[in-house]
C-alpha cells in the first residue's frame, strides 16, 4: 500500500505495539500508529480522530477486547477491527467474530497481521461500495416513486408491473388496483386490439413521445404528454412510460389561441368595415339627396327617413365591429367604475323579473380607470342582460363585485396577459343554466350565439371583449352546465380625481355656407354624391376621383379653394400624403380627411400631421356641414 495508514492500537505493552507496527511495515503496510491502553483514552481517540483500522489486544489488566468491541460498534465506524492476542482460544475467537470483529491474529503469528489487515481493508471497501450502490438504488426507487410525473412499467401483454404514487393519484386508483389493469385500460388512444401493433412499433422505434388522454377512475379524461422507452431488463422486455398531466398547459394554449383568433378576426373586421362604410356613405348620402329634392312628397320623405334609420343602425353595427377589433379610437377620461356599476345595477333592477335578485359589493380603495363611460356602461349592461337571459327559466341571483387586485411580476393562469400593476377586478356571476364546454372557446366571437332566432345578434360578448382589451384590460370566464357563469374583468386602475364629461350641445340646424371646396374620392358614386351635398349646402364644388389629378387642379389655382375634403384610402397617393403635398403649396388650406377604416390613420395621427378635421365614414350632410362651418369660420382653431 502506498498510502500511509492511520492505525489505533489498544495495547498495554508498548513493546508488543512496536512489534505489530514492525510486522505491518514488513508486510508492506506503512502506518502511523497511536497507542492507548485504557477505556477512556480508547473512547476519546474514537471520538476525536479518524483511523483506517484498529488493532486491539484481547487481554489487558483493566480492559479487554470484547468490551472495546462493544464501544467500537456503538459508533458505527466502517473500519476493520482486528483482535490481537497471545492466548486467545478458538471459542473466544469465534465469539468475537460473531460479535462483530473483523478478524483475529495471534501475537505468535504476527506475520499474518499485514495480510489480515490488507484483506480486511479490501473487504471493508467492497462492503462500502455495495452499501453505496444499495443506497443509490433505494434513493432511485424513492425518487421514482415520489416523482411528479406518473410512471408505468408495462409488459408485453400490456399488464402493469410497476406504477408510482403520481400514477395512482392522477388516476384515482390504489396501487393494487392499477397493477391489475393493462395499459390500454388507461390510455384512451390505444385499444385492446391495437396493443400488439403498438408493442411491435415501440420495439422497432425504441423511444417515442406524443400527447394522449388518460382516463381516471371516475370516467373523466385529461390530457397527458407521454414519453415511452423500450427497455430490456433481466432478459425481459418492458415499456417504461412517463406521463405528465398537461391540463394547465392546454388551458393556457387555448387562451393564447383564442387571443390570436380574436386578433385575426379583428383584422378581418377592419377590412370589412372599410368597404361597408363606403357603401353606407353612398346609400345614406343619396337618400339624403332624395329627401332634399322631394320635400313636397310626404310618403317619399317617410320612406327615405326609414332608409337613413336603417343606415344609422348599420353604422352602429360597424362601430361595434371596430370596437371588437380594437380599431376604434374613442375619447377616454378618468372614470369612476363604481358609479357606473351603481347606475347599471339600478337599471337592471328596474327590468329584472321578480324571480331574480341582484346584489353588488364595492370594496375598492379607488375605482378610477381611464376609460370611455358609455363603453364601460355598455359592458356592464351586456353582461347583465346575458345573465338575465341565462336565469330566465329558473330565476336566480346576479352578483356584481368590484375590488382591487395587484398583478405581480410572477404571472398565473388568470393574469398571464396583464402587465404588472394595480387593477380593478369586476366580477359578474349568475346562477343560470351555464355554458357548455364546447361553446366556451367561441363565446367572444362576433355573431356567434347559442340563443334562438331573434333572441340575440352574437355581438354582445364580442363587444365586451373588444372594449375591455381596448382599455388595456383582460376578461376571463368560468362556467359549468347547471352551475351558472362567472365573468371576471380586469381594468388598469387610475389614481386621481374624477373629471366629469360636459353634456353634449343640442343639435343645431343644418348650417349652410359659401366658398369653393375640392372634394376627392376614388369612387365615382361618392364623388358625385359629395358634389350634390356640398352644392345643396351652398358651396361651389370641384370633384376629382384621383389624388394626382386633384393635386394638379389645386396646384393650377391654389387660391381658388377654401377647403379640401379627401378620402384616405386612395390609389397612387393616400389622403394623408395628398394633404402634405397640398400644404407644401398652400400651408393654410383647411383639410378634412375621411376614412371608412385605415390601419395607418386615426384621429390622433391625423391631428399630429396637421389635418384640420378627421371624419369616420359614413359621412353625412350634417357631418360635412358642421365641419366646414367650423374650419371656415374659425380658420385658426
Amino acid at each position: 500500500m502506498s498510502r500511509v495508514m492511520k492505525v489505533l492500537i489498544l495495547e498495554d505493552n508498548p513493546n508488543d505495539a512496536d512489534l505489530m507496527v514492525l510486522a505491518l511495515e514488513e508486510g508492506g503496510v506503512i502506518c502511523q500508529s497511536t497507542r492507548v491502553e485504557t477505556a477512556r483514552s480508547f473512547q476519546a481517540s474514537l471520538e476525536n480522530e479518524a483511523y483506517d483500522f484498529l488493532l486491539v489486544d484481547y487481554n489487558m489488566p483493566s480492559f479487554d477486547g470484547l468490551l472495546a468491541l462493544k464501544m467500537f460498534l456503538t459508533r458505527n465506524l466502517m473500519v476493520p477491527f482486528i483482535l490481537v492476542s497471545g492466548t486467545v482460544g478458538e471459542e473466544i475467537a469465534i465469539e468475537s467474530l460473531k460479535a462483530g470483529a473483523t478478524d483475529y491474529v495471534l501475537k505468535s503469528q504476527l506475520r499474518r497481521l499485514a495480510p489480515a489487515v490488507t484483506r480486511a481493508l479490501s473487504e471493508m471497501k467492497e462492503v462500502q461500495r455495495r452499501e453505496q450502490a444499495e443506497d443509490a438504488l433505494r434513493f432511485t426507487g424513492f425518487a421514482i416513486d415520489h416523482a411528479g410525473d406518473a410512471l408505468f412499467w408495462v409488459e408485453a401483454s400490456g399488464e402493469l408491473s410497476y406504477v408510482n404514487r403520481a400514477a395512482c393519484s392522477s388516476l384515482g386508483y390504489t396501487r393494487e388496483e392499477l397493477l391489475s389493469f393493462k395499459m390500454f385500460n388507461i390510455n384512451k388512444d390505444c385499444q385492446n386490439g391495437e396493443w400488439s401493433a403498438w408493442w411491435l412499433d415501440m420495439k422497432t422505434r425504441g423511444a417515442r413521445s406524443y400527447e394522449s388522454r388518460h382516463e381516471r377512475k371516475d370516467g373523466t379524461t385529461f390530457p397527458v404528454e407521454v414519453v415511452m422507452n423500450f427497455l430490456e431488463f433481466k432478459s425481459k422486455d418492458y415499456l417504461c412510460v412517463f406521463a405528465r398531466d398537461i391540463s394547465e398547459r392546454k388551458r393556457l394554449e387555448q387562451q393564447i389561441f383564442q387571443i390570436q383568433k380574436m386578433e385575426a378576426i379583428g383584422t378581418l373586421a377592419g377590412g370589412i368595415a372599410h368597404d361597408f362604410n363606403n357603401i353606407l356613405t353612398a346609400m345614406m348620402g343619396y337618400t339624403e339627396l332624395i329627401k332634399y329634392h322631394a320635400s313636397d312628397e310626404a310618403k317619399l320623405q317617410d320612406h327615405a327617413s326609414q332608409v337613413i334609420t336603417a343606415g344609422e343602425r348599420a353604422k352602429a353595427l360597424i362601430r361595434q365591429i371596430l370596437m371588437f377589433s380594437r380599431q376604434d379610437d374613442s375619447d377616454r377620461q378618468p372614470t369612476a367604475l363604481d358609479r357606473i356599476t351603481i347606475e347599471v345595477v339600478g337599471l337592471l333592477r328596474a327590468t329584472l323579473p321578480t324571480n331574480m335578485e341582484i346584489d353588488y359589493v364595492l370594496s375598492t380603495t379607488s375605482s378610477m380607470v381611464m376609460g370611455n363611460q358609455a363603453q364601460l356602461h355598455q359592458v356592464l349592461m351586456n353582461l347583465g342582460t346575458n345573465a338575465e337571459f341565462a336565469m330566465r327559466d329558473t330565476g336566480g341571483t346576479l352578483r356584481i363585485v368590484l375590488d382591487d387586485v395587484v398583478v405581480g411580476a410572477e404571472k398565473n393562469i388568470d393574469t398571464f396577459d396583464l402587465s404588472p400593476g394595480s387593477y380593478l377586478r369586476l366580477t359578474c356571476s349568475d346562477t343560470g343554466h351555464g355554458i357548455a364546454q364546447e361553446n366556451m372557446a367561441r363565446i367572444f366571437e362576433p355573431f356567434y350565439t347559442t340563443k334562438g332566432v331573434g333572441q340575440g345578434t352574437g355581438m354582445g360578448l364580442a363587444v365586451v371583449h373588444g372594449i375591455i382589451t381596448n382599455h388595456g384590460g383582460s376578461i376571463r370566464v368560468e362556467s359549468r352546465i347547471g352551475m351558472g357563469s362567472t365573468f371576471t374583468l380586469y381594468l388598469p386602475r387610475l389614481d386621481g380625481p374624477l373629471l366629469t364629461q360636459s353634456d353634449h350641445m343640442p343639435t343645431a340646424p343644418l348650417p349652410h355656407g359659401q366658398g369653393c371646396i375640392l372634394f376627392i374620392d376614388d369612387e365615382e358614386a361618392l364623388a358625385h354624391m359629395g358634389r350634390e351635398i356640398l352644392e345643396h349646402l351652398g358651396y361651389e364644388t370641384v370633384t376629382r376621383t384621383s389624388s394626382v389629378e386633384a393635386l394638379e387642379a389645386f396646384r393650377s389655382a391654389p387660391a381658388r379653394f377654401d377647403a379640401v375634403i379627401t378620402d384616405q384610402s386612395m390609389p397612387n397617393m393616400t389622403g394623408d400624403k395628398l394633404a402634405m403635398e397640398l400644404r407644401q403649396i398652400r400651408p393654410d388650406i383647411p383639410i378634412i380627411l375621411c376614412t371608412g377604416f385605415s390601419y395607418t390613420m386615426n384621429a390622433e395621427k391625423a391631428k399630429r400631421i396637421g389635418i384640420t378635421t378627421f371624419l369616420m365614414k359614413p359621412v353625412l350632410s350634417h357631418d360635412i356641414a358642421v365641419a366646414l362651418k367650423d374650419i371656415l369660420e374659425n380658420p385658426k382653431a
Side-chain angles (χ1 to χ4, degrees):
M1 296 183 180
S2 59
R3 186 171 69 87
V4 177
M5 312 294 286
K6 291 184 66 176
V7 55
L8 177 63
I9 301 176
L10 177 60
E11 173 62 67
D12 61 330
N13 188 332
N15 292 328
D16 286 351
D18 291 341
L19 290 173
M20 294 179 197
V21 172
L22 181 61
L24 289 170
E25 290 178 350
E26 288 177 350
V29 179
I30 309 301
C31 59
Q32 176 186 343
S33 65
T34 300
R35 187 183 69 85
V36 295
E37 56 183 70
T38 65
R40 179 177 294 177
S41 59
F42 180 70
Q43 183 173 353
S45 296
L46 293 179
E47 290 177 352
N48 298 323
E49 293 290 339
Y51 297 95
D52 293 302
F53 61 95
L54 279 67
L55 300 178
V56 179
D57 186 11
Y58 184 78
N59 292 312
M60 288 180 292
S62 60
F63 195 37
D64 64 43
L66 288 180
L67 289 175
L69 179 60
K70 290 180 181 179
M71 293 174 61
F72 167 79
L73 293 175
T74 60
R75 303 195 62 81
N76 295 317
L77 299 175
M78 294 294 293
V79 295
F81 183 100
I82 300 176
L83 285 171
V84 181
S85 178
T87 58
V88 64
E90 184 177 350
E91 291 183 1
I92 294 176
I94 293 173
E95 180 185 356
S96 64
L97 292 176
K98 287 182 177 179
T102 309
D103 204 348
Y104 70 92
V105 176
L106 294 175
K107 289 183 178 180
S108 60
Q109 299 179 0
L110 286 181
R111 65 183 182 278
R112 288 187 59 249
L113 185 59
V117 169
T118 301
R119 183 176 62 253
L121 289 172
S122 177
E123 289 176 351
M124 189 62 67
K125 186 175 182 179
E126 177 62 23
V127 169
Q128 291 176 335
R129 186 197 65 78
R130 187 166 58 249
E131 289 187 352
Q132 289 173 352
E134 290 173 354
D135 286 342
L137 186 61
R138 282 191 293 268
F139 178 78
T140 300
F142 177 85
I144 289 174
D145 200 43
H146 290 78
D149 294 337
L151 173 63
F152 309 85
W153 278 84
V154 191
E155 299 181 11
S157 63
E159 293 178 349
L160 303 177
S161 60
Y162 171 79
V163 294
N164 67 352
R165 295 188 180 192
C168 299
S169 61
S170 65
L171 296 169
Y173 292 101
T174 65
R175 198 185 301 264
E176 291 72 22
E177 288 174 326
L178 273 182
L179 291 178
S180 68
F181 287 178
K182 295 188 175 182
M183 193 64 197
F184 47 76
N185 299 132
I186 300 166
N187 190 327
K188 303 314 293 179
D189 289 340
C190 178
Q191 301 303 316
N192 187 4
E194 302 172 352
W195 176 254
S196 297
W198 267 60
W199 181 266
L200 292 175
D201 179 62
M202 279 306 305
K203 194 170 185 177
T204 303
R205 289 172 179 252
R208 181 187 177 192
S209 60
Y210 65 101
E211 291 186 4
S212 182
R213 298 192 71 82
H214 280 184
E215 182 175 315
R216 299 185 182 94
K217 186 176 183 178
D218 62 6
T220 60
T221 63
F222 61 98
V224 289
E225 182 180 60
V226 177
V227 177
M228 296 196 304
N229 293 279
F230 193 87
L231 303 175
E232 182 180 335
F233 182 69
K234 292 185 177 180
S235 302
K236 189 172 183 179
D237 293 335
Y238 294 92
L239 276 181
C240 179
V241 181
F242 284 92
R244 173 171 295 179
D245 187 340
I246 55 174
S247 299
E248 285 302 306
R249 184 205 300 176
K250 287 297 182 183
R251 180 182 168 193
L252 183 59
E253 288 176 354
Q254 184 61 34
Q255 288 196 5
I256 294 173
F257 172 75
Q258 186 68 9
I259 290 172
Q260 292 172 340
K261 185 166 65 173
M262 290 295 168
E263 291 175 349
I265 294 175
T267 301
L268 177 63
I272 294 173
H274 173 267
D275 292 340
F276 197 33
N277 273 327
N278 276 346
I279 296 170
L280 282 175
T281 299
M283 290 171 56
M284 299 173 72
Y286 278 107
T287 304
E288 283 188 320
L289 292 174
I290 292 173
K291 293 185 68 176
Y292 296 154
H293 297 294
S295 56
D296 295 334
E297 298 288 340
K299 186 173 291 188
L300 193 58
Q301 283 278 344
D302 180 65
H303 292 340
S305 296
Q306 293 297 326
V307 175
I308 292 177
T309 300
E312 291 288 354
R313 291 175 60 190
K315 180 179 179 181
L317 178 61
I318 288 297
R319 189 168 183 81
Q320 285 187 325
I321 292 175
L322 290 177
M323 190 182 300
F324 159 76
S325 67
R326 288 174 284 175
Q327 302 291 347
D328 180 38
D329 294 317
S330 301
D331 292 335
R332 297 181 195 166
Q333 61 183 11
T335 302
L337 195 56
D338 57 349
R339 296 186 186 180
I340 294 177
T341 302
I342 293 171
E343 290 176 4
V344 171
V345 167
L347 290 172
L348 290 173
R349 275 187 174 147
T351 58
L352 291 179
T354 55
N355 65 341
M356 296 183 195
E357 296 181 358
I358 180 171
D359 63 73
Y360 65 97
V361 177
L362 307 177
S363 57
T364 62
T365 55
S366 171
S367 67
M368 300 296 293
V369 297
M370 181 63 74
N372 180 287
Q373 294 186 37
Q375 291 180 4
L376 295 176
H377 191 281
Q378 182 181 5
V379 165
L380 277 171
M381 286 299 297
N382 283 4
L383 293 177
T385 54
N386 277 0
E388 183 276 331
F389 184 86
M391 300 185 292
R392 189 171 292 177
D393 294 334
T394 60
T397 301
L398 169 61
R399 180 175 175 80
I400 300 175
V401 178
L402 181 65
D403 58 3
D404 302 315
V405 64
V406 176
V407 175
E410 295 184 2
K411 305 299 182 64
N412 58 43
I413 193 68
D414 290 324
T415 60
F416 76 96
D417 57 345
L418 295 175
S419 301
S422 298
Y423 289 81
L424 288 179
R425 179 172 56 191
L426 183 68
T427 307
C428 296
S429 304
D430 66 66
T431 58
H433 51 62
I435 304 170
Q437 289 301 308
E438 60 267 23
N439 296 328
M440 289 284 284
R442 301 190 61 192
I443 59 174
F444 294 119
E445 293 181 11
F447 304 110
Y448 178 78
T449 180
T450 59
K451 299 176 182 177
V453 177
Q455 294 181 316
T457 64
M459 285 299 294
L461 288 178
V463 169
V464 168
H465 182 277
I467 291 174
I468 295 301
T469 52
N470 200 25
H471 278 70
S474 185
I475 183 169
R476 304 284 181 270
V477 58
E478 296 179 10
S479 185
R480 292 180 62 186
I481 291 295
M483 301 295 290
S485 303
T486 298
F487 288 84
T488 305
L489 284 58
Y490 296 88
L491 287 168
R493 192 175 69 184
L494 178 68
D495 295 323
L498 175 64
L499 300 178
T500 58
Q501 186 179 38
S502 59
D503 295 333
H504 292 292
M505 295 296 292
T507 303
L510 196 63
H512 286 56
Q514 56 185 4
C516 183
I517 309 299
L518 177 58
F519 187 94
I520 310 110
D521 197 298
D522 60 316
E523 293 196 23
E524 186 70 41
L526 297 184
H528 179 74
M529 181 203 72
R531 173 194 291 275
E532 295 224 13
I533 290 177
L534 288 169
E535 289 178 348
H536 176 77
L537 295 173
Y539 297 99
E540 178 190 353
T541 306
V542 175
T543 61
R544 292 291 186 271
T545 56
S546 163
S547 299
V548 177
E549 294 178 2
L551 179 59
E552 291 303 317
F554 187 84
R555 181 179 285 116
S556 64
R560 176 186 178 187
F561 300 103
D562 297 288
V564 175
I565 301 176
T566 180
D567 185 31
Q568 165 64 14
S569 300
M570 300 279 291
N572 301 320
M573 185 186 300
T574 58
D576 56 330
K577 297 292 192 298
L578 174 61
M580 288 187 283
E581 293 291 334
L582 297 176
R583 286 282 171 78
Q584 291 291 325
I585 301 170
R586 183 179 154 191
D588 65 336
I589 184 68
I591 300 174
I592 298 174
L593 184 64
C594 307
T595 183
F597 170 77
S598 172
Y599 288 105
T600 60
M601 182 57 60
N602 54 37
E604 181 181 349
K605 184 176 180 180
K607 182 178 181 180
R608 192 165 60 246
I609 65 174
I611 298 297
T612 314
T613 302
F614 180 80
L615 296 178
M616 283 293 296
K617 291 181 178 180
V619 179
L620 304 182
S621 301
H622 179 270
D623 303 319
I624 295 175
V626 171
L628 284 175
K629 177 179 174 62
D630 182 56
I631 63 177
L632 294 177
E633 293 185 359
N634 304 284
K636 295 182 180 180

